[in-house]
Amino acid sequence: MRLTILGSSASYAGPGQACAGYLVETESTRIMLDCGNGVLANLAAVTDPLTLDAVFVSHAHPDHFLDLYPLQALLRYAPDGPAEALPLHLPRGMFNAMSWFLSDRGNAELAAAFETHDLVAGKTVAVGDLRVTPHEVEHTNQTFALVVTDGRATLCYTSDTMSGEAVERAAAGCDLLLAEATLPEQYRGAAPHMTAVEAGELARTVGASRLVLTHIWPTNDRELMAAEAADAFGGPTSVAREFDTYEVVPASANTPEREARP
């Protein structure tokens, strides 16, 4: 199972960045976790978006879903005609809320582009040879951490969350922890997000094999955050960068170092 970072930034994208978006794939299955602003262009740089098998959206904050609108246009106006509706898994009521400022025609095309499914905490969704289980975490509205497994290894994407028991339950036993680290340490507790130190503490608590920090405020010192998280975790730690790839492997296997995809 391979993870590719499509967007690593929080709230708005810094230079050369995009907001939340992550491609997870095996030899036969390809899904995307979140679809924030700037993600679709990065997805198209590494694969044909028409080959996606499903998209999962963790919560209804714009930096996690805005590129669903251009994705809809790509699906409906594909070179060979409208593509089949793409399975889209998202919190209950979110898809209806997305349509409020669209015209009747825009709403019809949005509805035709996606086959929508409500995320339900603890209910596993099968997509090809991947299994995705949402776990509700603590943020400002209904938000799900997304746990993905291919039957061998497990990836936990925390989405946006404060530290605590909810995200610890979601991440328990994961091999790769993709953890948000929005806040500089001096702002710990100022918003329902984690700092790099808290992400490192989470990785240590749940026994993760590797920690990747993401959802970073664009002006944060990423090198400092990586060092702080590594000190708290005590294991392999890196900060997500656009187009980085990670092989998600069981804890018993050797964990390859980060690969940069051109």
Side-chain angles (χ1 to χ4, degrees), residues 137-183:
V137 291
E138 297 178 272
H139 193 43
T140 59
N141 57 359
Q142 188 179 50
T143 302
F144 294 98
L146 298 169
V147 178
V148 186
T149 182
D150 62 356
R152 296 177 59 252
T154 302
L155 159 71
C156 176
Y157 165 48
T158 68
S159 184
D160 291 8
T161 182
M162 55 194 302
S163 63
E165 293 182 359
V167 71
E168 289 174 6
R169 286 192 296 268
C174 69
D175 296 296
L176 190 151
L177 178 62
L178 180 62
E180 78 114 289
T182 310
L183 301 176

Side-chain angles (χ1 to χ4, degrees), residues 36-112:
N37 32 310
V39 164
L40 185 57
N42 288 349
L43 175 66
V46 298
T47 194
D48 181 355
L50 293 174
T51 66
L52 283 175
D53 294 299
V55 175
F56 291 78
V57 175
S58 62
H59 67 294
H61 281 171
D63 57 326
H64 293 258
F65 77 85
L66 273 182
D67 264 22
L68 288 178
Y69 295 105
L71 179 57
Q72 168 265 314
L74 182 151
L75 294 167
R76 294 301 295 158
Y77 296 95
D80 296 327
E84 292 186 11
L86 178 63
L88 173 63
H89 302 265
L90 68 180
R92 185 184 303 275
M94 179 179 164
F95 193 73
N96 288 339
M98 287 175 57
S99 68
W100 73 269
F101 65 90
L102 298 177
S103 66
D104 289 344
R105 176 176 176 175
N107 279 321
E109 294 197 338
L110 189 68

